[in-house]
Amino acid sequence: MASVSVRYIVHDVDAAIMFYRDHLGFREVMHPAPPFAIVARGDLRLLLSTPSGVGGGGQAMPDGTVPAPGGWNRISLQVEGLAEMVERLRAGGVHFRNQIVTGVGGRQVIADDPSGNPVELFEPTIPEARG
């Protein structure tokens, strides 16, 4: 059973499923209706929702605010071979917000999913940063 679920608001659930499955190694868990799906990778489940009036995570708030994709909060996926992975993803048409940068615990880069939600790819360089 997955221990962490994160909801991402997306423009197109089918495009999001393909991105996470084909580029980042997630598996489709369920897709019961057009505005909702779950994909998983290890203990992480992404709940993918489109803004809609049918209820669930994509519905408008009581004040009328409609959920929208994007922003800077993000999931961070630990990877090995970051430079090679970035090359492969760029060749596959994935958009990146930046180049690979080195921080105190490792190297990272931020990719956008098809709706503009950020996904951090993180390669640890010290043992303490490994998940």
Side-chain angles (χ1 to χ4, degrees):
M1 172 177 272
S3 61
V4 177
S5 293
V6 175
R7 184 177 307 277
Y8 264 3
I9 303 299
V10 299
H11 294 299
D12 180 328
V13 170
D14 292 325
I17 291 170
M18 289 183 349
F19 172 82
Y20 287 102
R21 183 191 62 215
D22 298 349
H23 292 301
L24 300 178
F26 282 73
R27 65 182 171 78
E28 183 178 331
V29 174
M30 64 183 290
H31 189 192
F36 180 72
I38 297 175
V39 295
R41 180 179 178 209
D43 285 340
L44 172 63
R45 293 179 355 142
L46 283 181
L47 314 177
L48 305 169
S49 298
T50 57
S52 71
V54 296
Q59 68 184 322
M61 299 292 103
D63 69 358
T65 303
V66 177
W72 285 99
N73 292 320
R74 58 191 178 259
I75 60 170
S76 180
L77 302 177
Q78 184 174 311
V79 302
E80 298 294 328
L82 180 63
E84 296 81 13
M85 184 176 194
V86 168
E87 275 185 40
R88 182 175 45 80
L89 292 172
R90 276 203 174 108
V94 174
H95 174 263
F96 287 86
R97 294 186 180 190
N98 63 340
Q99 300 296 318
I100 295 172
V101 297
T102 301
V104 295
R107 300 173 345 123
Q108 64 193 43
V109 67
I110 300 173
D112 280 329
D113 78 5
S115 295
N117 293 306
V119 177
E120 180 180 310
L121 304 175
F122 176 76
E123 181 177 44
T125 57
I126 60 174
E128 297 83 2
R130 294 196 179 280

